[in-house]
Amino acid sequence: MALALVVSAVTAYFTATNVTLLNMLFKNSFNFMILAIGEVALVWWLSASIRKISAQTAAIAFLAYSVLNGVTLSTIFIVYTGASIASVFITCAAMFAVMSFYGLVTKSNLSSMGRYLMMGVIGILIASLFNMFIRSSGLDWLISVVTVVLFTGLTAYDSQKMLAVSQHADGSEMFKKAAIIGALELYLDFINMFLALLRLFGRKK
């Protein structure tokens, strides 16, 4: 997960500082849409095919996704100041670490909470698609707040789930692939929390 975040950050910065690459990717909104669809398709394929593919293939797909995500994330360097990106990233990292630690040490079973949180994520996706048409700043603010809450909770849930899996790990191919899927889930928790916090507290240029 940490490696994927580093890959995404380096890719985002490289893309944001390369004018030629920016023009090629974002001058036409169709290109950005293709990238976004490619990201979703890659995550869907990885999740659906994890039982059939090798752990090495899964790891390569995860890193490829982190590169694609880094390209789309490059837009934050254009919209927000570097100082606000850094401060929000540090805040997000602290929140993530606290909630992940909570998920690892709590005696409470977070399984039921995880189901409700996933239902909330689906609701957020629907609300976000709806807001693409009405462009309500109030709804956008509410979506960002709820997103932070949902993915903060999911960080604890996914951490606890991975701890439970790790207690039975035997180093087999199946558990290696489970580790990659777990890392992807935590990566998505972090990225979604970070972007929501950036929308709420990031200072625009």
Side-chain angles (χ1 to χ4, degrees):
M1 174 208 161
L3 175 60
L5 286 174
V6 170
V7 169
S8 293
V10 172
T11 303
Y13 183 76
F14 174 77
T15 304
T17 54
N18 190 312
V19 177
T20 303
L21 191 57
L22 279 177
N23 288 334
M24 182 179 70
L25 292 172
F26 302 117
K27 196 171 184 180
N28 188 336
S29 58
F30 180 75
N31 292 336
F32 187 84
M33 187 180 299
I34 291 296
L35 279 175
I37 293 173
E39 284 187 70
V40 174
L42 186 54
V43 168
W44 178 84
W45 175 82
L46 180 56
S47 300
S49 307
I50 192 65
R51 293 181 181 275
K52 302 175 184 177
I53 61 178
S54 66
Q56 183 179 13
T57 301
I60 292 172
F62 182 19
L63 288 177
Y65 173 76
S66 67
V67 171
L68 281 178
N69 200 35
V71 173
T72 57
L73 285 174
S74 64
T75 54
I76 67 173
F77 289 99
I78 301 171
V79 177
Y80 299 96
T81 65
S84 67
I85 292 173
S87 62
V88 169
F89 182 87
I90 292 171
T91 301
C92 182
M95 292 173 60
F96 182 90
V98 168
M99 293 308 297
S100 183
F101 181 74
Y102 171 77
L104 294 175
V105 301
T106 183
K107 301 298 183 182
S108 303
N109 189 333
L110 304 180
S111 298
S112 58
M113 183 182 77
R115 288 193 293 269
Y116 290 113
L117 289 171
M118 288 308 301
M119 290 170 60
V121 170
I122 294 172
I124 285 297
L125 288 173
I126 295 172
S128 299
L129 289 173
F130 178 70
N131 201 38
M132 288 177 62
F133 298 99
I134 65 172
R135 297 184 181 276
S136 168
S137 58
L139 181 57
D140 184 64
W141 180 86
L142 180 61
I143 289 172
S144 297
V145 171
V146 175
T147 298
V148 171
V149 173
L150 289 175
F151 282 97
T152 299
L154 279 171
T155 297
Y157 166 73
D158 287 331
S159 296
Q160 186 181 77
K161 183 174 65 175
M162 287 306 298
L163 177 63
V165 172
S166 69
Q167 291 173 346
H168 303 284
D170 56 7
S172 65
E173 184 83 355
M174 181 184 71
F175 280 103
K176 289 178 181 178
K177 292 190 286 187
I180 293 169
I181 289 295
L184 174 61
E185 290 173 345
L186 289 171
Y187 171 90
L188 291 173
D189 292 340
F190 185 95
I191 291 294
N192 282 287
M193 194 191 312
F194 169 68
L195 291 177
L197 286 170
L198 193 60
R199 288 195 298 271
L200 289 170
F201 304 110
R203 182 177 300 175
K204 294 185 177 181
K205 292 182 178 179

